[in-house]
Amino acid sequence: MAELPILIAPDPRLRGKAKSVTTVDARVRRLMDDMLDTMYAAPGIGLAAPQVGVMERIVVVDVSGKNEPSAPMRLVNPAIVWRSEETEAGEEGCLSIPEHYADVTRPARVRVTYQDEKGTAREIEADDLLARCLQHEIDHLDGVLFVDHLSKLKRDMILRKTQKLKKSKASA
Ligand code: GNR
Ligand code: NI
């Protein structure tokens, strides 16, 4: 049980490209467990390793509802191999851009390949919130933030306010 500090934008680690994981070993499994602890504590429904300063292609997600049993997912080297033509708009937030929410239009359904915590290759087709969350997390692995899908005006406004918030937190 360990919570890790979550990076707030701007930070170069949130804009870098994460490296593929070669071996799913105890270190990777421990990191995923710590990321789940961090995500549940935040609280959030997803977390990508670069958000905790680790530049590796590792994601955790749990989109189960409040009155449902928890459903943690651990994804190593996740990759989108198919996107639906149909798109959907939905509200997103990001633990690295606190207190800002905006509608983002994305493919409604995706197929994602990944390795699980045992290193076994898997493939899932996701829709609704899981599809949105997986796309948001995989974006993080390539240094992309949800505000990059908004107009420049909205993006710049949110990132400027986040920089102010980060500075005020740092000097508090
Ligand atoms: O907690 C989160 N909620 C969320 C809502 C809609 C779409 C994506 C997300 S992910 C976010 C946590 C986060 O920042 N993950 O990177
Ligand atoms: Ni995020």
Side-chain angles (χ1 to χ4, degrees):
M1 180 84 197
E3 278 181 49
L4 308 169
I6 297 175
L7 300 179
I8 305 300
D11 188 295
R13 290 166 288 182
L14 293 173
R15 289 309 197 174
K17 192 173 160 66
K19 288 192 157 56
S20 294
V21 172
T22 54
T23 316
V24 184
D25 55 14
R27 178 192 67 90
V28 171
R29 280 188 288 272
R30 190 171 327 121
L31 173 62
M32 291 193 288
D33 286 348
D34 291 347
M35 286 171 61
L36 283 165
D37 291 341
T38 305
M39 180 190 82
Y40 288 126
I45 61 169
L47 191 69
Q51 292 181 277
V52 293
V54 177
M55 302 310 290
E56 299 184 49
R57 303 187 79 82
I58 298 170
V59 159
V60 296
V61 168
D62 186 341
V63 296
S64 64
K66 225 176 75 171
N67 296 314
E68 289 167 15
S70 64
M73 294 182 63
R74 297 165 171 85
L75 299 95
V76 177
N77 299 325
I80 297 171
V81 295
W82 173 81
R83 302 167 163 81
S84 64
E85 301 254 346
E86 185 195 341
T87 59
E88 211 157 67
E91 189 172 75
E92 296 193 18
C94 181
L95 296 171
S96 297
I97 307 176
E99 297 171 27
H100 292 279
Y101 304 87
D103 267 12
V104 178
T105 299
R106 297 187 186 267
R109 293 176 302 284
V110 288
R111 292 192 71 87
V112 174
T113 59
Y114 65 99
Q115 290 162 265
D116 69 12
E117 63 278 4
K118 293 179 175 165
T120 303
R122 294 188 177 274
E123 181 166 347
I124 48 166
E125 184 164 331
D127 61 8
D128 295 321
L129 187 57
L130 180 59
R132 178 169 302 284
C133 188
L134 288 171
Q135 291 175 79
H136 176 117
E137 301 314 334
I138 293 168
D139 270 356
H140 274 301
L141 303 180
D142 294 315
V144 175
L145 302 173
F146 82 90
V147 293
D148 298 336
H149 297 280
L150 308 176
S151 69
K152 176 169 166 55
L153 187 73
K154 281 188 188 168
R155 171 169 60 252
D156 290 350
M157 196 261 296
I158 291 173
L159 290 177
R160 184 174 46 76
K161 289 184 178 175
T162 303
Q163 182 160 22
K164 276 189 73 174
L165 176 84
K166 184 182 180 177
K167 281 183 177 159
S168 73
K169 274 189 175 182
S171 61

